Amino acid sequence: ILTLVKKTKIIGFIWALAAVLNIVLNLFLIPLVGILGAAIATLIAYFFAFTLIWYYSFKEFTFEIDWLSIVKILLCSVLMSILVWKIKPEGLLITIIAVIAGGTFYALLIFLTKVLTKKEYLFLKDLFKKQAI
């Protein structure tokens, strides 16, 4: 969004701050916890950049977020993950079976929780028709 509205100076400034934060955190965390400290420092710096970019982007372009749908999708993802974890895929055949079972289970859960609207179903139907041709 910030690129589209030509606010690239903000993006550059945010990433410069994130880089400085990453270096400072690396100086403190690497001696304490080693390579894991570098990973933690990078995670914090990227989260910092993400948060600021999100903040400034939402000032330029606002839209409603359907939090209920997001919660439903996360729940479906967790349940699908549990299914795949319980299958314990080891080897090619069982991995293929786990992928098919997980995908089918996820699609079923998405359908049952009514995450998709009629408009989205029609879009997917048209998309699959075009792919089949």
Side-chain angles (χ1 to χ4, degrees):
I1 301 301
L2 294 176
T3 303
L4 292 174
V5 294
K6 300 185 191 268
K7 301 260 178 142
T8 53
K9 286 182 182 178
I10 292 174
I11 297 170
F13 184 71
I14 289 170
W15 282 111
L17 283 175
V20 170
L21 177 63
N22 195 0
I23 291 168
V24 170
L25 288 173
N26 273 319
L27 291 173
F28 288 107
L29 293 175
I30 290 175
L32 290 174
V33 286
I35 192 75
L36 185 59
I40 293 168
T42 303
L43 176 68
I44 292 170
Y46 269 78
F47 184 74
F48 170 79
F50 164 76
T51 304
L52 286 179
I53 288 173
W54 184 354
Y55 172 77
Y56 285 107
S57 293
F58 268 79
K59 286 176 84 173
E60 299 295 330
F61 179 71
T62 58
F63 56 90
E64 297 220 3
I65 297 175
D66 185 2
W67 292 106
L68 180 61
S69 289
I70 291 174
V71 169
K72 288 179 183 180
I73 291 167
L74 287 172
L75 177 65
C76 293
S77 299
V78 167
L79 293 173
M80 186 234 7
S81 299
I82 291 169
L83 173 72
V84 172
W85 177 63
K86 289 288 187 182
I87 294 173
K88 296 182 183 178
E90 292 180 14
L92 181 61
L93 180 61
I94 194 73
T95 300
I96 291 171
I97 292 169
V99 168
I100 292 169
T104 304
F105 186 60
Y106 182 76
L108 179 67
L109 289 172
I110 290 293
F111 176 75
L112 292 174
T113 57
K114 298 180 181 177
V115 171
L116 299 178
T117 64
K118 257 187 184 177
K119 186 178 178 182
E120 291 165 330
Y121 280 118
L122 292 174
F123 171 77
L124 289 173
K125 183 179 173 184
D126 287 345
L127 182 68
F128 286 120
K129 276 185 183 177
K130 288 178 184 174
Q131 294 297 322
I133 295 176

mmCIF file of all heavy atoms in Angstrom, residues 64-84:
data_model
loop_
_atom_site.group_PDB
_atom_site.id
_atom_site.type_symbol
_atom_site.label_atom_id
_atom_site.label_comp_id
_atom_site.label_asym_id
_atom_site.label_seq_id
_atom_site.Cartn_x
_atom_site.Cartn_y
_atom_site.Cartn_z
ATOM 1 N N GLU A 64 -12.492 -3.428 6.175
ATOM 2 C CA GLU A 64 -12.936 -4.208 7.323
ATOM 3 C C GLU A 64 -12.322 -5.602 7.280
ATOM 4 O O GLU A 64 -12.209 -6.203 6.211
ATOM 5 C CB GLU A 64 -14.453 -4.302 7.331
ATOM 6 C CG GLU A 64 -15.107 -2.950 7.492
ATOM 7 C CD GLU A 64 -16.303 -2.990 8.401
ATOM 8 O OE1 GLU A 64 -16.616 -4.052 8.961
ATOM 9 O OE2 GLU A 64 -16.914 -1.925 8.554
ATOM 10 N N ILE A 65 -11.940 -6.095 8.422
ATOM 11 C CA ILE A 65 -11.403 -7.444 8.538
ATOM 12 C C ILE A 65 -12.453 -8.304 9.225
ATOM 13 O O ILE A 65 -12.951 -7.944 10.295
ATOM 14 C CB ILE A 65 -10.088 -7.460 9.336
ATOM 15 C CG1 ILE A 65 -9.021 -6.652 8.588
ATOM 16 C CG2 ILE A 65 -9.621 -8.882 9.581
ATOM 17 C CD1 ILE A 65 -7.720 -6.507 9.341
ATOM 18 N N ASP A 66 -12.786 -9.409 8.603
ATOM 19 C CA ASP A 66 -13.773 -10.335 9.165
ATOM 20 C C ASP A 66 -13.046 -11.271 10.143
ATOM 21 O O ASP A 66 -12.573 -12.338 9.776
ATOM 22 C CB ASP A 66 -14.433 -11.124 8.037
ATOM 23 C CG ASP A 66 -15.549 -12.025 8.530
ATOM 24 O OD1 ASP A 66 -15.827 -12.005 9.737
ATOM 25 O OD2 ASP A 66 -16.128 -12.742 7.698
ATOM 26 N N TRP A 67 -12.949 -10.834 11.389
ATOM 27 C CA TRP A 67 -12.193 -11.583 12.400
ATOM 28 C C TRP A 67 -12.810 -12.945 12.679
ATOM 29 O O TRP A 67 -12.095 -13.900 12.962
ATOM 30 C CB TRP A 67 -12.068 -10.761 13.681
ATOM 31 C CG TRP A 67 -11.193 -9.558 13.503
ATOM 32 C CD1 TRP A 67 -11.593 -8.264 13.420
ATOM 33 C CD2 TRP A 67 -9.773 -9.543 13.347
ATOM 34 N NE1 TRP A 67 -10.515 -7.444 13.224
ATOM 35 C CE2 TRP A 67 -9.382 -8.202 13.189
ATOM 36 C CE3 TRP A 67 -8.798 -10.530 13.334
ATOM 37 C CZ2 TRP A 67 -8.050 -7.816 13.009
ATOM 38 C CZ3 TRP A 67 -7.473 -10.153 13.158
ATOM 39 C CH2 TRP A 67 -7.119 -8.818 13.001
ATOM 40 N N LEU A 68 -14.130 -13.051 12.578
ATOM 41 C CA LEU A 68 -14.786 -14.339 12.815
ATOM 42 C C LEU A 68 -14.329 -15.363 11.781
ATOM 43 O O LEU A 68 -14.028 -16.510 12.123
ATOM 44 C CB LEU A 68 -16.305 -14.180 12.795
ATOM 45 C CG LEU A 68 -17.106 -15.464 13.025
ATOM 46 C CD1 LEU A 68 -16.792 -16.057 14.402
ATOM 47 C CD2 LEU A 68 -18.597 -15.197 12.890
ATOM 48 N N SER A 69 -14.252 -14.959 10.524
ATOM 49 C CA SER A 69 -13.777 -15.869 9.480
ATOM 50 C C SER A 69 -12.325 -16.270 9.716
ATOM 51 O O SER A 69 -11.951 -17.427 9.508
ATOM 52 C CB SER A 69 -13.916 -15.238 8.093
ATOM 53 O OG SER A 69 -15.267 -15.154 7.732
ATOM 54 N N ILE A 70 -11.516 -15.339 10.156
ATOM 55 C CA ILE A 70 -10.113 -15.644 10.429
ATOM 56 C C ILE A 70 -10.006 -16.672 11.555
ATOM 57 O O ILE A 70 -9.230 -17.622 11.473
ATOM 58 C CB ILE A 70 -9.326 -14.357 10.757
ATOM 59 C CG1 ILE A 70 -9.214 -13.505 9.486
ATOM 60 C CG2 ILE A 70 -7.943 -14.686 11.319
ATOM 61 C CD1 ILE A 70 -8.602 -12.147 9.686
ATOM 62 N N VAL A 71 -10.813 -16.508 12.599
ATOM 63 C CA VAL A 71 -10.808 -17.470 13.704
ATOM 64 C C VAL A 71 -11.255 -18.844 13.213
ATOM 65 O O VAL A 71 -10.654 -19.870 13.562
ATOM 66 C CB VAL A 71 -11.691 -16.971 14.870
ATOM 67 C CG1 VAL A 71 -11.921 -18.065 15.907
ATOM 68 C CG2 VAL A 71 -11.070 -15.744 15.517
ATOM 69 N N LYS A 72 -12.305 -18.868 12.375
ATOM 70 C CA LYS A 72 -12.776 -20.145 11.823
ATOM 71 C C LYS A 72 -11.690 -20.816 10.989
ATOM 72 O O LYS A 72 -11.475 -22.031 11.094
ATOM 73 C CB LYS A 72 -14.018 -19.928 10.960
ATOM 74 C CG LYS A 72 -15.274 -19.596 11.730
ATOM 75 C CD LYS A 72 -16.419 -19.371 10.752
ATOM 76 C CE LYS A 72 -17.699 -18.972 11.414
ATOM 77 N NZ LYS A 72 -18.774 -18.762 10.433
ATOM 78 N N ILE A 73 -11.009 -20.049 10.154
ATOM 79 C CA ILE A 73 -9.949 -20.596 9.304
ATOM 80 C C ILE A 73 -8.804 -21.144 10.158
ATOM 81 O O ILE A 73 -8.271 -22.226 9.886
ATOM 82 C CB ILE A 73 -9.451 -19.532 8.306
ATOM 83 C CG1 ILE A 73 -10.545 -19.244 7.270
ATOM 84 C CG2 ILE A 73 -8.168 -19.963 7.624
ATOM 85 C CD1 ILE A 73 -10.309 -18.011 6.435
ATOM 86 N N LEU A 74 -8.431 -20.399 11.200
ATOM 87 C CA LEU A 74 -7.364 -20.881 12.087
ATOM 88 C C LEU A 74 -7.781 -22.175 12.787
ATOM 89 O O LEU A 74 -6.973 -23.107 12.911
ATOM 90 C CB LEU A 74 -6.998 -19.812 13.110
ATOM 91 C CG LEU A 74 -6.210 -18.625 12.569
ATOM 92 C CD1 LEU A 74 -6.073 -17.547 13.637
ATOM 93 C CD2 LEU A 74 -4.848 -19.062 12.069
ATOM 94 N N LEU A 75 -9.013 -22.246 13.234
ATOM 95 C CA LEU A 75 -9.510 -23.455 13.882
ATOM 96 C C LEU A 75 -9.485 -24.631 12.913
ATOM 97 O O LEU A 75 -9.031 -25.727 13.258
ATOM 98 C CB LEU A 75 -10.925 -23.230 14.416
ATOM 99 C CG LEU A 75 -11.591 -24.446 15.057
ATOM 100 C CD1 LEU A 75 -10.844 -24.853 16.321
ATOM 101 C CD2 LEU A 75 -13.046 -24.159 15.368
ATOM 102 N N CYS A 76 -9.948 -24.415 11.685
ATOM 103 C CA CYS A 76 -9.917 -25.479 10.662
ATOM 104 C C CYS A 76 -8.486 -25.928 10.395
ATOM 105 O O CYS A 76 -8.213 -27.121 10.242
ATOM 106 C CB CYS A 76 -10.567 -24.991 9.369
ATOM 107 S SG CYS A 76 -12.334 -24.694 9.484
ATOM 108 N N SER A 77 -7.558 -24.973 10.346
ATOM 109 C CA SER A 77 -6.146 -25.299 10.099
ATOM 110 C C SER A 77 -5.566 -26.137 11.230
ATOM 111 O O SER A 77 -4.835 -27.098 10.986
ATOM 112 C CB SER A 77 -5.325 -24.017 9.939
ATOM 113 O OG SER A 77 -5.783 -23.274 8.846
ATOM 114 N N VAL A 78 -5.892 -25.772 12.458
ATOM 115 C CA VAL A 78 -5.391 -26.528 13.614
ATOM 116 C C VAL A 78 -5.945 -27.952 13.599
ATOM 117 O O VAL A 78 -5.204 -28.927 13.806
ATOM 118 C CB VAL A 78 -5.739 -25.802 14.933
ATOM 119 C CG1 VAL A 78 -5.510 -26.698 16.132
ATOM 120 C CG2 VAL A 78 -4.930 -24.522 15.055
ATOM 121 N N LEU A 79 -7.247 -28.089 13.334
ATOM 122 C CA LEU A 79 -7.852 -29.423 13.296
ATOM 123 C C LEU A 79 -7.254 -30.272 12.174
ATOM 124 O O LEU A 79 -6.983 -31.461 12.364
ATOM 125 C CB LEU A 79 -9.368 -29.315 13.152
ATOM 126 C CG LEU A 79 -10.096 -28.719 14.358
ATOM 127 C CD1 LEU A 79 -11.567 -28.490 14.041
ATOM 128 C CD2 LEU A 79 -9.933 -29.594 15.585
ATOM 129 N N MET A 80 -7.020 -29.665 11.006
ATOM 130 C CA MET A 80 -6.395 -30.385 9.909
ATOM 131 C C MET A 80 -4.966 -30.802 10.278
ATOM 132 O O MET A 80 -4.541 -31.916 9.987
ATOM 133 C CB MET A 80 -6.377 -29.537 8.637
ATOM 134 C CG MET A 80 -5.863 -30.280 7.437
ATOM 135 S SD MET A 80 -4.488 -29.577 6.491
ATOM 136 C CE MET A 80 -3.912 -28.205 7.343
ATOM 137 N N SER A 81 -4.259 -29.920 10.939
ATOM 138 C CA SER A 81 -2.891 -30.231 11.363
ATOM 139 C C SER A 81 -2.866 -31.407 12.338
ATOM 140 O O SER A 81 -1.983 -32.263 12.269
ATOM 141 C CB SER A 81 -2.245 -29.014 12.024
ATOM 142 O OG SER A 81 -2.168 -27.951 11.124
ATOM 143 N N ILE A 82 -3.824 -31.430 13.237
ATOM 144 C CA ILE A 82 -3.912 -32.541 14.191
ATOM 145 C C ILE A 82 -4.148 -33.849 13.450
ATOM 146 O O ILE A 82 -3.524 -34.875 13.761
ATOM 147 C CB ILE A 82 -5.005 -32.274 15.246
ATOM 148 C CG1 ILE A 82 -4.585 -31.124 16.160
ATOM 149 C CG2 ILE A 82 -5.303 -33.528 16.063
ATOM 150 C CD1 ILE A 82 -5.683 -30.605 17.071
ATOM 151 N N LEU A 83 -5.039 -33.830 12.451
ATOM 152 C CA LEU A 83 -5.296 -35.030 11.661
ATOM 153 C C LEU A 83 -4.024 -35.518 10.979
ATOM 154 O O LEU A 83 -3.667 -36.699 11.069
ATOM 155 C CB LEU A 83 -6.386 -34.776 10.612
ATOM 156 C CG LEU A 83 -6.614 -35.928 9.629
ATOM 157 C CD1 LEU A 83 -7.299 -37.094 10.313
ATOM 158 C CD2 LEU A 83 -7.400 -35.458 8.429
ATOM 159 N N VAL A 84 -3.322 -34.626 10.311
ATOM 160 C CA VAL A 84 -2.090 -35.008 9.606
ATOM 161 C C VAL A 84 -1.044 -35.493 10.607
ATOM 162 O O VAL A 84 -0.334 -36.472 10.359
ATOM 163 C CB VAL A 84 -1.559 -33.838 8.745
ATOM 164 C CG1 VAL A 84 -0.188 -34.146 8.163
ATOM 165 C CG2 VAL A 84 -2.542 -33.514 7.634
#
